[in-house]
Amino acid sequence: MLEEDVRKEVVELAAKLMIASAQTAPKSKGEDSLEVIYLSEFEEIAKKMEELAEKTGDKNFVRDANSLRKSDGLILLGIYGDRSIGMNCGACGFESCMEFAKAERREVVFKGPNCAFKLLDLGIAIGSAVKLGAIIGVDSRVMYRIGAAAKLLGISKADVVMGIPLASLSKSPFFDR
């Protein structure tokens, strides 16, 4: 097993590569609306997740907070979905991009409505990052609960954000929880 300081160094290097993979992933119309944050300290997020468990009754916030605490690093990937790409596709729930642009945006935890293509861009970026992490041997898991806590704490300014905890342990702390 790697020593803790070496493990954290390995994860930080992996995170940089994963972030590069996310940033260079294909984007609708080639427009980048991605927010990327790397954290090596995330106890504040874990505590907020525990508060959310109490507030919402969702015990999985505690489970995910415990997984986060076993991590060596954390990537937050978010998207600003307020600008449409002009397709008038209706996937956002509006008949046209003009109607979407006029819609009142509300924030509960995440902010919406969002252009469906921007959300797809986020998914592609996340997939690109975690695929590279798997190839180079770093464990990860995409967790919306981490993103929700980071958003509520103001760490992320993106409209929708997901957390990707990273670990380099002999067994992934993100499965069989």
Side-chain angles (χ1 to χ4, degrees), residues 79-128:
I79 200 79
Y80 295 95
D82 58 331
R83 287 186 296 160
S84 74
I85 65 162
M87 293 287 294
N88 293 320
C89 68
C92 63
F94 295 93
E95 286 191 34
S96 70
C97 293
M98 184 91 69
E99 282 187 38
F100 168 78
K102 292 177 185 175
E104 178 187 341
R105 299 194 84 230
R106 290 179 281 150
E107 190 165 352
V108 177
V109 172
F110 299 132
K111 194 177 217 176
N114 290 286
C115 174
F117 283 92
K118 295 298 182 177
L119 295 172
L120 288 169
D121 289 349
L122 177 59
I124 292 167
I126 289 169
S128 294

Side-chain angles (χ1 to χ4, degrees), residues 23-164:
Q23 293 267 213
T24 60
K27 314 243 181 353
S28 302
K29 289 181 64 178
E31 295 176 1
D32 188 4
S33 300
L34 204 61
E35 175 190 70
V36 181
I37 300 169
Y38 176 74
L39 300 170
S40 58
E41 298 293 327
F42 29 78
E43 180 59 26
E44 180 183 23
I45 294 173
K47 285 181 180 174
K48 183 65 171 180
M49 292 168 73
E50 290 169 338
E51 286 176 27
L52 288 168
E54 212 169 288
K55 181 178 178 181
T56 66
D58 182 352
K59 295 175 189 170
N60 291 329
F61 273 103
V62 172
R63 178 200 65 194
D64 290 351
N66 290 333
S67 289
L68 177 59
R69 286 187 174 108
K70 296 174 188 171
S71 304
D72 297 309
L74 173 63
I75 297 172
L76 298 173
L77 285 180
I79 200 79
Y80 295 95
D82 58 331
R83 287 186 296 160
S84 74
I85 65 162
M87 293 287 294
N88 293 320
C89 68
C92 63
F94 295 93
E95 286 191 34
S96 70
C97 293
M98 184 91 69
E99 282 187 38
F100 168 78
K102 292 177 185 175
E104 178 187 341
R105 299 194 84 230
R106 290 179 281 150
E107 190 165 352
V108 177
V109 172
F110 299 132
K111 194 177 217 176
N114 290 286
C115 174
F117 283 92
K118 295 298 182 177
L119 295 172
L120 288 169
D121 289 349
L122 177 59
I124 292 167
I126 289 169
S128 294
V130 298
K131 173 67 175 180
L132 180 60
I135 289 170
I136 61 178
V138 173
D139 293 317
S140 68
R141 181 156 187 158
V142 181
M143 296 187 186
Y144 84 88
R145 289 178 186 89
I146 292 173
K151 179 83 174 132
L152 290 169
L153 287 166
I155 294 169
S156 170
K157 305 294 185 216
D159 296 328
V160 178
V161 61
M162 300 290 142
I164 307 171

